[in-house]
Short mmCIF file of all heavy atoms in Angstrom, two decimals:
data_model
loop_
_atom_site.label_atom_id
_atom_site.label_comp_id
_atom_site.label_asym_id
_atom_site.label_seq_id
_atom_site.Cartn_x
_atom_site.Cartn_y
_atom_site.Cartn_z
N VAL C 57 8.23 4.17 -3.00
CA VAL C 57 8.23 5.61 -3.25
C VAL C 57 7.15 6.33 -2.48
O VAL C 57 7.41 7.34 -1.81
CB VAL C 57 8.05 5.84 -4.75
CG1 VAL C 57 7.87 7.30 -5.14
CG2 VAL C 57 9.06 5.14 -5.57
N VAL C 58 5.90 5.83 -2.54
CA VAL C 58 4.85 6.50 -1.90
C VAL C 58 4.84 6.48 -0.35
O VAL C 58 4.92 7.38 0.37
CB VAL C 58 3.49 6.15 -2.43
CG1 VAL C 58 2.35 7.04 -1.83
CG2 VAL C 58 3.46 6.36 -3.91
N ALA C 59 4.94 5.08 0.04
CA ALA C 59 4.93 4.93 1.49
C ALA C 59 6.29 5.27 2.08
O ALA C 59 6.37 5.82 3.15
CB ALA C 59 4.71 3.45 1.79
N GLY C 60 7.40 5.24 1.32
CA GLY C 60 8.61 5.57 1.87
C GLY C 60 9.08 7.06 1.65
O GLY C 60 8.90 7.91 2.48
N LEU C 61 9.30 7.30 0.39
CA LEU C 61 9.86 8.68 0.11
C LEU C 61 8.97 9.79 0.39
O LEU C 61 9.28 10.86 1.03
CB LEU C 61 10.24 8.72 -1.43
CG LEU C 61 10.80 9.99 -2.06
CD1 LEU C 61 12.13 10.22 -1.34
CD2 LEU C 61 10.93 9.95 -3.43
N ILE C 62 7.66 9.69 -0.12
CA ILE C 62 6.72 10.78 0.11
C ILE C 62 6.56 10.99 1.70
O ILE C 62 6.35 12.05 2.04
CB ILE C 62 5.44 10.55 -0.71
CG1 ILE C 62 5.75 10.65 -2.20
CG2 ILE C 62 4.34 11.53 -0.29
CD1 ILE C 62 4.54 10.50 -3.08
N THR C 63 6.40 9.81 2.42
CA THR C 63 6.32 10.02 3.87
C THR C 63 7.35 10.85 4.47
O THR C 63 7.16 11.66 5.30
CB THR C 63 6.10 8.69 4.50
OG1 THR C 63 5.10 7.93 3.86
CG2 THR C 63 5.70 8.75 5.92
N VAL C 64 8.55 10.47 3.96
CA VAL C 64 9.80 11.18 4.52
C VAL C 64 9.65 12.69 4.24
O VAL C 64 9.87 13.57 5.03
CB VAL C 64 10.97 10.63 3.90
CG1 VAL C 64 12.28 11.52 4.21
CG2 VAL C 64 11.30 9.18 4.40
N LEU C 65 9.26 12.95 2.99
CA LEU C 65 9.09 14.38 2.61
C LEU C 65 8.07 15.04 3.42
O LEU C 65 8.28 16.25 3.86
CB LEU C 65 8.66 14.50 1.10
CG LEU C 65 9.71 14.24 0.11
CD1 LEU C 65 9.26 14.34 -1.33
CD2 LEU C 65 10.95 15.15 0.27
N PHE C 66 6.92 14.47 3.73
CA PHE C 66 5.91 14.91 4.46
C PHE C 66 6.46 15.26 6.00
O PHE C 66 6.19 16.25 6.50
CB PHE C 66 4.72 13.91 4.63
CG PHE C 66 3.53 14.20 3.70
CD1 PHE C 66 3.26 13.38 2.61
CD2 PHE C 66 2.86 15.39 3.80
CE1 PHE C 66 2.19 13.63 1.81
CE2 PHE C 66 1.83 15.68 2.95
CZ PHE C 66 1.48 14.81 1.93
N ILE C 67 7.07 14.21 6.54
CA ILE C 67 7.57 14.42 7.91
C ILE C 67 8.55 15.52 7.94
O ILE C 67 8.58 16.35 8.88
CB ILE C 67 8.03 13.08 8.39
CG1 ILE C 67 6.91 12.15 8.62
CG2 ILE C 67 8.77 13.31 9.77
CD1 ILE C 67 7.22 10.83 9.13
N LEU C 68 9.37 15.65 6.90
CA LEU C 68 10.42 16.69 6.82
C LEU C 68 9.71 18.14 6.84
O LEU C 68 10.03 18.97 7.62
CB LEU C 68 11.20 16.55 5.61
CG LEU C 68 12.54 17.19 5.55
CD1 LEU C 68 13.43 16.49 6.54
CD2 LEU C 68 13.15 17.11 4.13
N THR C 69 8.64 18.08 5.99
CA THR C 69 7.93 19.46 6.02
C THR C 69 7.30 19.73 7.32
O THR C 69 7.25 20.84 7.82
CB THR C 69 6.83 19.34 4.88
OG1 THR C 69 7.41 18.80 3.73
CG2 THR C 69 6.19 20.63 4.67
N ILE C 70 6.73 18.64 7.94
CA ILE C 70 5.95 18.91 9.23
C ILE C 70 6.97 19.36 10.20
O ILE C 70 6.83 20.30 10.98
CB ILE C 70 5.29 17.65 9.72
CG1 ILE C 70 4.09 17.30 8.72
CG2 ILE C 70 4.72 17.87 11.10
CD1 ILE C 70 3.58 15.93 8.90
N ALA C 71 8.16 18.81 10.11
CA ALA C 71 9.25 19.24 11.15
C ALA C 71 9.62 20.67 10.96
O ALA C 71 9.93 21.41 11.81
CB ALA C 71 10.44 18.25 11.04
N LEU C 72 9.72 21.08 9.61
CA LEU C 72 10.16 22.40 9.24
C LEU C 72 9.21 23.31 9.67
O LEU C 72 9.46 24.63 9.77
CB LEU C 72 10.57 22.37 7.74
CG LEU C 72 11.90 21.83 7.45
CD1 LEU C 72 12.01 21.85 5.86
CD2 LEU C 72 12.99 22.64 8.01
N THR C 73 7.86 23.01 9.66
CA THR C 73 6.81 24.02 9.99
C THR C 73 6.16 23.66 11.32
O THR C 73 5.03 23.27 11.32
CB THR C 73 5.85 24.02 8.87
OG1 THR C 73 5.33 22.64 8.77
CG2 THR C 73 6.41 24.38 7.53
N LYS C 74 6.90 23.76 12.41
CA LYS C 74 6.57 23.08 13.75
C LYS C 74 5.19 23.73 14.19
O LYS C 74 4.35 23.04 14.76
CB LYS C 74 7.58 23.33 14.68
CG LYS C 74 8.68 22.35 14.62
CD LYS C 74 9.40 22.33 15.89
CE LYS C 74 10.90 21.82 15.81
NZ LYS C 74 11.84 22.89 15.23
N LYS C 75 4.92 25.04 13.93
CA LYS C 75 3.83 25.57 14.53
C LYS C 75 2.55 25.22 13.89
O LYS C 75 1.46 25.54 14.21
CB LYS C 75 3.96 27.08 14.51
CG LYS C 75 4.58 27.67 15.73
CD LYS C 75 4.95 29.11 15.59
CE LYS C 75 3.70 29.95 15.51
NZ LYS C 75 4.06 31.33 15.18
N GLY C 76 2.67 24.47 12.75
CA GLY C 76 1.50 24.01 11.99
C GLY C 76 0.44 23.28 12.76
O GLY C 76 -0.73 23.46 12.44
N ASP C 77 0.87 22.63 13.89
CA ASP C 77 -0.05 21.86 14.63
C ASP C 77 -1.05 22.70 15.29
O ASP C 77 -2.10 22.20 15.61
CB ASP C 77 0.71 21.02 15.69
CG ASP C 77 1.33 19.77 15.14
OD1 ASP C 77 1.17 19.58 13.98
OD2 ASP C 77 1.83 19.02 15.90
N GLU C 78 -0.78 23.93 15.45
CA GLU C 78 -1.80 24.77 16.21
C GLU C 78 -2.93 25.08 15.42
O GLU C 78 -3.90 25.66 16.01
CB GLU C 78 -1.04 26.15 16.65
CG GLU C 78 -0.02 25.84 17.67
CD GLU C 78 0.95 26.97 17.96
OE1 GLU C 78 0.52 28.09 17.45
OE2 GLU C 78 2.01 26.74 18.44
N VAL C 79 -3.01 24.82 14.12
CA VAL C 79 -4.14 25.08 13.33
C VAL C 79 -5.20 24.02 13.80
O VAL C 79 -5.07 22.91 13.70
CB VAL C 79 -3.90 24.91 11.80
CG1 VAL C 79 -5.11 25.21 11.04
CG2 VAL C 79 -2.71 25.77 11.48
N THR C 80 -6.25 24.59 14.34
CA THR C 80 -7.31 23.66 14.65
C THR C 80 -8.41 23.58 13.71
O THR C 80 -8.92 24.65 12.99
CB THR C 80 -7.96 24.04 16.02
OG1 THR C 80 -8.22 25.45 15.94
CG2 THR C 80 -7.11 23.82 17.23
N GLU C 81 -8.91 22.30 13.39
CA GLU C 81 -10.00 22.20 12.41
C GLU C 81 -11.32 22.42 13.16
O GLU C 81 -11.46 22.26 14.39
CB GLU C 81 -9.97 20.82 11.90
CG GLU C 81 -8.56 20.26 11.34
CD GLU C 81 -8.14 21.09 10.07
OE1 GLU C 81 -8.95 21.75 9.49
OE2 GLU C 81 -6.99 20.87 9.72
N ALA C 82 -12.24 22.87 12.30
CA ALA C 82 -13.56 23.13 12.94
C ALA C 82 -14.11 21.86 13.44
O ALA C 82 -14.01 20.79 12.83
CB ALA C 82 -14.54 23.78 11.89
N ARG C 83 -14.72 21.84 14.66
CA ARG C 83 -15.25 20.66 15.26
C ARG C 83 -16.35 20.02 14.32
O ARG C 83 -16.48 18.89 14.18
CB ARG C 83 -15.75 20.85 16.61
CG ARG C 83 -14.70 20.84 17.68
CD ARG C 83 -15.41 21.15 19.00
NE ARG C 83 -16.28 19.96 19.44
CZ ARG C 83 -15.89 18.85 19.88
NH1 ARG C 83 -14.72 18.69 20.14
NH2 ARG C 83 -16.79 17.96 20.32
N LEU C 84 -17.15 20.93 13.90
CA LEU C 84 -18.36 20.56 13.03
C LEU C 84 -17.97 19.61 11.81
O LEU C 84 -18.64 18.63 11.56
CB LEU C 84 -19.06 21.83 12.52
CG LEU C 84 -20.47 21.58 11.92
CD1 LEU C 84 -21.42 21.04 12.97
CD2 LEU C 84 -20.99 22.78 11.36
#
Side-chain angles (χ1 to χ4, degrees):
Chain C
V57 176
V58 181
L61 179 65
I62 292 185
T63 308
V64 170
L65 286 178
F66 262 114
I67 290 178
L68 202 66
T69 313
I70 294 166
L72 282 174
T73 57
K74 278 197 204 85
K75 271 170 64 189
D77 278 3
E78 289 164 21
V79 181
T80 46
E81 309 292 349
R83 281 182 61 82
L84 190 65

